[in-house]
Amino acid sequence: MAVEERTGSRVSRPEIRLVRRGFTDPGAALRLLAGPGLGALADDPVLLDALGATADPDLALLGLARLLETLDASEQHTLRDTLTTSKPLRDRLLGVLGASAALAEHLARHPRDWHALVTFEQQDMHPGSEDFLRALYDGVWGCGPREGAPQPRGDRGDLLRVAYRRCLLAIAARDLTGTTDLAQTAAELADLAGSTLQTALDIAAGEDPQAARACRLAVIGMGKCGGRELNYVSDVDVIFVAEPREGVEEHTAVQSATRLAARAMRLCSDTTGEGTIWPVDANLRPEGRNGPLVRTLASHLAYYQRWAKTWEFQALLKARPVAGDAELGAAYTEALAPMVWQAAARENFVADVQQMRRRVIDSIPATEIDRQLKLGPGGLRDVEFSVQLLQLVHGRADRTLRSGNTLEALAALSAGGYVGRADAASLDTAYRFLRSLEHRIQLHRLRRTHLMPKDEADQRRLARSLAPLINDDTRADPVAALQREWKRHAVEVRRLHEKLFYRPLLDAVAELPAGAAGLSPQAARERLEALGYADPAAALRHLSALASGVSRKAAIQRTLLPVMLGWFAESADPDAGLLNFRQVSDALGRTPWYLRLLRDESAAAEQLARVLSAGRLAPDLLLRAPEAVAMLGDPQGLVPRGRAALEQEILAAVGRASTSAAAVAAARSVRRRELFRTAAADVLGRLAEDPAEALDVAGEALTALNTATLQGALRACVAGWEAQNGALPTRIAVIAMGRFGGRELGYGSDADVLFVHEPVLGSLEEDAARAAHAVCNELRTLLGAPSTEPPLLVDADLRPEGRQGPLVRTLASYTAYYKRWSHVWESQALLRAEPVAGDAGLGERFRQLIDPMRYPGTGVPERDLVEIRRIKARIESERLPRGADPTTHTKIGRGGLADVEWTVQLLQLQHGHRLPELRTTRTRAALAAAARAGLVDEGDAAVLDAAWVLASRVRAAVMLVRGRPGDSFPGDARELAGVARYLGYGAGHSGELVDDYRRVTRRARAVVEQVFYG
């Protein structure tokens, strides 16, 4: 019944026997067996069993039938006889026919090529380059390479393609029958590629003898060809180098070499009725496609010494002469090798390599990423990148690591202690499986692909072909077994890829078992330097302190640190990340939840690593109260809290305190924790996806936090005064000004405020004034006093008469002052006034007082307009700090915050009385309203908005990175790199940030000149 279900109908006994042997279409198989070609073989159970042992019995039988049909009677008899009497030949031929439809097609076109399966088939013999070259020469010219080749016996290209497929047939047969392992097969394919290139060059030289006499030309194999680990179907990466022969000018030699190289490439890459060999890719040469195809050795050296990027040296790691002038090829690799092994000393070396790997993954179409064997996560590229990275770091000092072959290099890394033995063994096994799977996929159609096929029949063929490598029973459900094995290896590769670079660093500071090889201290320092650590000796001390010992804490740290080190290395300051992690771990290491959180919540561990290495502000806040780490394990832990929730918590804490000082300290403690929440969310990109929106969210969060803190501090200071003096004889309101009033606070912003009070009925004004001054003065003192908590500096300098005027005024006093003495700049400052704390009714009455001043019904008189422009020009010329660059100063510099804000505020003063939508304290909202009203061209408004957002983000980044406010880009390279990382620029691209800033603000300044200065 099971057989009937598989075939979809009732079946005969012969069909049942075929199905049990693995045939999926027994009816078609019986018809082929009854055909004229197979003859007596049709009833041979040995042959049927051999067919059933292939990857695809149906495909193998079809290929055999076609092959026999194309042979003459004599050859048919010879082949049938050989199949019956020679098990090795039978297994090789049927193995190829059952795995490769393309090679079966080749045999149908060239049936006598089945004899190639006998040529190199002694078990202890594997052909090399000379053997392949002899076979290719025989196919093209009918003689050996040194026997004076006659004219070819047909089209040179087709003869080469047929000879190549004949050699490939023998390699595949050895591979499929287990005569060679993966490494040997890949090496044979690379040797065949080199011999093919040599034959193509010789054909080209025969066609153009004048060019051949003018130059010496060497072909350098790159990539898998250079590493002797080639696929069945792959681009063959090469670089051409040439030198003139004696008496020939250099440019003539290079032109001649270019003709030879181009012709050789076409011979290999062109497609005809005989198919194609493989594309020859010379894009790894200097300048890529834009550079000359052929250069002299001196030209190569000049390029690599001056212009080459990190990835180009990584590519040269596999460079190997494969064809052409052997002496010149050796000179090329000898000259460039020293530069390859110094690549790890380049700035941002590891970051560049890792970023390149991420770009590869990001470029994979979403529909393919789950089927990618080569480029996807846990794929072949992860193994190759990891091994090459370690080679380049440690190969400077250890010549045993200088192999272009991935498996050989991995073995050398393990032997030298650079990779743990168990990790190396697991990686070796996974790599061999993935490469073998890739080979079988490509072999079927001889097409370049690295994708797992979707069709179940194709996957079944692969599973049967790879059965010896699958640690599962493939008989019941071969497809499921293949999928499990593939996913198991992919997961293992990804796991090892993520820790391979970091795990041995722990062994370097740990007690290893006797006989175990580990990184030497010098090798550990080299690896840390390559990762970007400025002080590798200090980093090793931190690792030793964290991971040494036999305690449970040390054991968990040894599990965590390999991954944590990787996350630190991706930052601009890995030293600070590791130091901060040590300090947090020292503070919390004995608490049971801390290490458990990091061990069990990988997202929390990654977030902690990124926060600790992103700058000084967030780590400083965390180190003052390390228990805030718990936020990182809470899905809602990094969502900024609203004003109402903050006020409720702060007022409750204030109410529990016995003195005003203790109450304000409690409020500051809450503020510190919430500052960390917002800063951490900002660093991790959790506030919003859009940078401008994230800036607004941060501004709202910081404004709500400072508002709640002021409200709590005011409540505390009033309570303290009343505890000593009785009921307060006045009402007090706090009016936010500047960025505080605009809800645009940054991490380093002061709280600009005005204090207003109103005596209660029956109180003397003098008593009320003294009480209000005492309360407000104590509030400023307690919030700014030195403490373990970050200060909140309350700045009241925008009050009438500035520092010379009273700290607190009554509403009537403000009315009198503004009516008689107010200047236009004070009206401008009041555009951002917003009541935030204290008596709400008094705050609202203050708002009603100032609205006619900041939105004057007559607009801005000419004299006031001139005064505003004069003051702005004076600020630009006098307030810029000495030595500051006006093109990069975010506050006063060209196109910076002041330019945009003064322009917007002028429009508000001029038109706010008639356009209610302009009556907002927020810069971006007012600018958008002005654009909608047609006061500013929409394009100009977008330019101003972009400049304001960028300048604000730079200020925020400077504070997050340095831990102190600043209006200019940091001078320290590492701090500038941290600012660039926050703003989304990759390692080594800090200069691009500064250039972009200048470009954006230059455009904004042009708009300011037009709109503000007229």
Side-chain angles (χ1 to χ4, degrees):
M1 187 63 183
V3 171
E4 291 176 16
E5 289 175 355
R6 284 179 65 182
T7 59
S9 62
R10 296 188 64 82
V11 295
S12 64
R13 285 186 180 278
E15 289 177 318
I16 291 174
R17 287 195 292 269
L18 290 175
V19 169
R20 286 173 176 167
R21 285 186 167 99
F23 288 84
T24 58
D25 190 349
L30 285 176
R31 288 191 293 274
L32 288 171
L33 289 169
L38 287 167
L41 290 176
D43 297 321
D44 187 349
V46 174
L47 176 67
L48 294 177
D49 287 342
L51 286 167
T54 64
D56 187 338
D58 300 85
L59 184 65
L61 178 58
L62 175 63
L64 179 60
R66 292 185 64 197
L67 171 59
L68 286 165
E69 287 173 5
T70 56
L71 291 170
D72 59 31
S74 173
E75 280 286 330
Q76 282 186 5
H77 178 75
T78 301
L79 177 57
R80 283 196 294 262
D81 228 26
T82 308
L83 286 172
T84 304
T85 59
S86 173
K87 183 179 186 304
L89 185 282
R90 181 171 62 242
D91 290 343
R92 287 192 291 274
L93 177 59
L94 296 183
V96 168
L97 295 174
S100 179
L103 289 177
E105 178 67 27
H106 172 82
L107 282 171
R109 292 172 63 88
H110 304 280
R112 289 185 56 81
D113 279 3
W114 71 267
H115 292 282
L117 299 179
V118 184
T119 307
F120 298 120
E121 291 311 324
Q122 290 109 344
Q123 289 290 328
D124 59 345
M125 177 182 175
H126 301 288
S129 297
E130 285 295 322
D131 300 299
F132 288 128
L133 190 63
R134 190 178 304 110
L136 293 171
Y137 255 71
D138 184 60
V140 177
W141 286 288
C143 67
R146 297 177 183 82
E147 298 173 13
Q151 286 296 313
R153 299 167 296 175
D155 180 83
R156 300 173 181 86
D158 279 347
L159 289 171
L160 179 60
R161 293 178 190 99
V162 172
Y164 172 84
R165 288 289 175 94
R166 190 180 304 122
C167 293
L168 193 66
L169 184 67
I171 293 175
R174 287 190 292 277
D175 176 18
L176 292 165
T177 54
T179 304
T180 56
D181 64 7
L182 169 76
Q184 292 167 324
T185 299
E188 288 185 13
L189 289 167
D191 289 341
L192 174 59
S195 300
T196 304
L197 287 167
Q198 181 63 62
T199 306
L201 274 182
D202 291 344
I203 292 174
E207 294 173 346
D208 191 349
Q210 182 178 357
R213 288 192 296 270
C215 66
R216 298 163 57 209
L217 176 62
V219 185
I220 310 300
M222 304 290 284
K224 285 184 167 56
C225 179
R228 295 191 78 229
E229 51 189 13
L230 197 60
N231 295 331
Y232 276 103
V233 186
S234 175
D235 289 357
V236 172
D237 297 310
V238 299
I239 286 177
F240 294 103
V241 57
E243 289 293 325
R245 295 193 184 275
E246 188 174 353
V248 179
E249 293 185 0
E250 183 177 300
H251 77 276
T252 302
V254 170
Q255 289 176 349
S256 300
T258 300
R259 293 202 304 272
L260 295 175
R263 175 56 176 153
M265 291 175 67
R266 288 195 301 273
L267 284 166
C268 296
S269 304
D270 286 352
T271 300
T272 69
E274 293 295 345
T276 186
I277 299 177
W278 18 247
V280 179
D281 188 343
N283 289 334
L284 290 177
R285 67 186 184 269
E287 300 180 77
R289 295 180 181 178
N290 298 319
L293 180 63
V294 181
R295 290 174 183 256
T296 63
L297 179 55
S299 177
H300 277 283
L301 288 173
Y303 173 84
Y304 285 108
Q305 287 167 347
R306 187 170 184 183
W307 303 110
K309 297 180 174 63
T310 299
W311 70 263
E312 292 178 279
F313 291 109
Q314 184 180 357
L316 283 172
L317 189 151
K318 292 181 176 290
R320 177 178 66 91
V322 294
D325 191 295
E327 184 180 345
L328 178 57
Y332 175 92
T333 54
E334 184 179 349
L336 266 68
M339 286 185 271
V340 173
W341 300 109
Q342 292 303 317
R346 295 165 65 94
E347 187 178 0
N348 299 312
F349 162 72
V350 171
D352 285 349
V353 174
Q354 292 173 334
Q355 187 176 26
M356 183 166 62
R357 175 66 185 122
R358 284 191 292 270
R359 281 200 300 268
V360 169
I361 293 177
D362 292 342
S363 68
I364 302 172
T367 55
E368 294 183 3
I369 196 164
D370 291 335
R371 299 168 52 216
Q372 263 285 353
L373 296 173
K374 178 179 179 181
L375 304 178
L380 293 163
R381 198 58 104 220
D382 273 350
V383 182
E384 292 158 0
F385 264 66
S386 297
V387 170
Q388 290 166 22
L389 192 59
L390 290 170
Q391 283 181 277
L392 289 168
V393 169
H394 299 295
R396 288 182 291 172
D398 190 343
R399 301 181 68 88
T400 65
L401 305 181
R402 299 182 180 183
S403 170
N405 183 277
T406 301
L407 291 174
E408 289 178 5
L410 181 58
L413 287 165
S414 175
Y418 304 101
V419 175
R421 289 180 180 176
D423 289 348
S426 295
L427 212 55
D428 181 279
T429 301
Y431 187 73
R432 288 175 185 273
F433 175 82
L434 293 172
R435 284 296 305 274
S436 297
L437 178 56
E438 181 186 43
H439 277 191
R440 297 296 195 271
I441 292 172
Q442 293 180 347
L443 190 57
H444 179 51
R445 298 285 183 190
L446 286 182
R447 291 176 183 166
R448 182 177 178 269
T449 179
H450 312 287
L451 298 177
M452 174 69 82
K454 295 179 181 179
D455 186 75
E456 186 173 331
D458 288 332
Q459 293 188 24
R460 179 175 181 270
R461 182 186 64 256
L462 291 171
R464 287 171 58 91
S465 176
L466 294 168
L469 299 180
I470 297 176
N471 295 319
D472 204 345
D473 187 356
T474 58
R475 289 173 297 181
D477 190 344
V479 172
L482 173 67
Q483 288 284 348
R484 285 193 297 270
E485 190 72 7
W486 173 33
K487 296 303 180 186
R488 182 177 71 82
H489 284 299
V491 168
E492 182 71 356
V493 166
R494 194 63 185 163
R495 181 184 72 84
L496 292 172
H497 167 70
E498 290 172 345
K499 77 169 193 173
L500 198 66
F501 203 78
Y502 311 103
R503 171 69 67 185
L505 290 169
L506 302 186
D507 295 340
V509 298
E511 296 269 344
L512 291 179
L519 280 185
S520 68
Q522 178 60 31
R525 283 192 291 273
E526 288 174 353
R527 190 171 297 191
L528 286 165
E529 285 176 357
L531 284 167
Y533 286 84
D535 189 351
L540 285 173
R541 290 196 299 272
H542 299 324
L543 291 176
S544 179
L546 287 164
S548 295
V550 295
S551 66
R552 178 177 174 274
K553 170 185 170 184
I556 295 177
Q557 287 283 20
R558 285 193 290 273
T559 301
L560 288 171
L561 276 168
V563 182
M564 300 290 284
L565 285 169
W567 289 323
F568 295 146
E570 292 174 2
S571 74
D573 193 352
D575 296 83
L578 181 56
L579 171 61
N580 291 332
F581 181 63
R582 178 183 175 183
Q583 291 174 330
V584 171
S585 296
D586 287 346
L588 294 177
R590 294 186 181 278
T591 57
W593 59 267
Y594 168 65
L595 290 175
R596 185 171 64 244
L597 170 71
L598 300 185
R599 182 194 63 195
D600 298 340
E601 300 286 345
S602 60
E606 180 176 3
Q607 289 177 163
L608 177 62
R610 300 202 184 284
V611 167
L612 292 178
S613 55
R616 295 180 184 174
L617 179 63
D620 285 350
L621 293 170
L622 180 61
L623 290 170
R624 293 175 184 180
E627 65 276 3
V629 167
M631 289 182 190
L632 303 176
D634 182 352
Q636 299 298 314
L638 295 180
V639 178
R641 301 169 66 198
R643 174 177 171 176
L646 291 169
E647 282 193 9
Q648 182 180 9
E649 180 181 2
I650 287 175
L651 291 176
V654 165
R656 291 191 295 269
S658 56
T659 66
S660 57
V664 173
R668 289 176 64 176
S669 177
V670 174
R671 178 173 177 270
R672 183 257 313 136
R673 185 195 68 212
E674 297 303 319
L675 271 176
F676 171 75
R677 188 193 306 275
T678 303
D682 197 355
V683 163
L684 295 169
R686 298 278 294 276
L687 294 178
E689 291 186 11
D690 178 64
E693 185 182 347
L695 181 68
D696 290 342
V697 173
E700 288 278 9
L702 295 170
T703 299
L705 179 54
N706 283 0
T707 297
T709 304
L710 276 173
Q711 188 76 283
L714 181 60
R715 175 79 60 88
C717 293
V718 168
W721 192 94
E722 289 183 336
Q724 294 182 0
N725 303 287
L728 190 71
T730 189
R731 289 179 286 272
I732 300 174
V734 182
I735 312 300
M737 301 289 286
R739 297 178 77 83
F740 188 13
R743 288 176 281 171
E744 298 162 350
L745 282 176
Y747 296 101
S749 300
D750 296 346
D752 292 318
V753 302
L754 299 177
F755 293 110
V756 58
H757 80 104
E758 188 176 63
V760 298
L761 190 62
S763 299
L764 294 175
E765 190 166 323
E766 294 81 0
D767 293 341
R770 280 195 297 272
H773 182 275
V775 168
C776 293
N777 194 55
E778 184 180 26
L779 176 146
R780 296 177 68 202
T781 301
L782 292 178
L783 284 174
S787 165
T788 56
E789 309 296 351
L792 174 56
L793 301 178
V794 179
D795 187 342
D797 288 352
L798 289 175
R799 65 186 183 269
E801 302 178 76
R803 295 181 183 179
Q804 307 305 317
L807 179 64
V808 192
R809 288 176 181 261
T810 63
L811 189 61
S813 176
Y814 275 105
T815 304
Y817 175 85
Y818 287 139
K819 186 175 182 180
R820 185 173 183 184
W821 304 108
S822 176
H823 298 281
V824 65
W825 70 264
E826 290 176 294
S827 296
Q828 182 182 348
L830 289 171
L831 284 167
R832 313 190 80 182
E834 181 76 16
V836 292
D839 189 280
L842 177 58
E844 183 57 33
R845 289 193 291 278
F846 184 85
R847 189 204 303 271
Q848 293 169 4
L849 165 68
I850 64 173
D851 273 353
M853 293 182 57
R854 55 184 178 175
Y855 310 123
T858 57
V860 181
E862 183 64 27
R863 68 177 185 279
D864 288 348
L865 184 58
V866 171
E867 178 67 8
I868 290 173
R869 289 170 174 166
R870 186 190 65 80
I871 294 172
K872 176 69 169 68
R874 183 178 174 186
I875 290 173
E876 290 178 14
S877 63
E878 297 180 5
R879 297 279 185 89
L880 193 70
R882 180 175 296 178
D885 184 349
T887 67
T888 58
H889 196 277
T890 60
K891 186 174 182 180
I892 304 174
R894 180 196 68 189
L897 296 172
D899 267 1
V900 178
E901 290 168 3
W902 280 61
T903 301
V904 172
Q905 290 160 16
L906 179 58
L907 295 173
Q908 289 180 286
L909 288 168
Q910 290 174 317
H911 305 285
H913 65 285
R914 65 181 182 85
L915 296 173
E917 58 268 30
L918 284 176
R919 299 172 195 172
T920 174
T921 61
R922 308 197 67 168
T923 301
R924 297 187 68 213
L927 179 58
R932 288 194 300 270
L935 303 178
V936 184
D937 178 81
E938 288 190 2
D940 289 344
V943 168
L944 293 176
D945 185 75
W948 190 89
V949 168
L950 181 55
S952 297
R953 294 185 69 218
V954 169
R955 291 182 89 201
V958 169
M959 182 65 186
L960 286 166
V961 170
R962 300 177 66 193
R964 61 182 187 276
D967 293 318
S968 295
F969 288 93
D972 179 80
R974 181 159 283 196
E975 289 180 347
L976 180 59
V979 169
R981 292 289 183 92
Y982 171 84
L983 291 165
Y985 291 80
H989 294 274
S990 304
E992 291 180 20
L993 164 61
V994 179
D995 291 342
D996 289 346
Y997 180 85
R998 287 185 170 130
R999 184 181 66 255
V1000 170
T1001 54
R1002 183 174 61 248
R1003 294 176 62 199
R1005 179 64 181 194
V1007 176
V1008 171
E1009 294 283 356
Q1010 175 187 344
V1011 178
F1012 181 81
Y1013 287 109

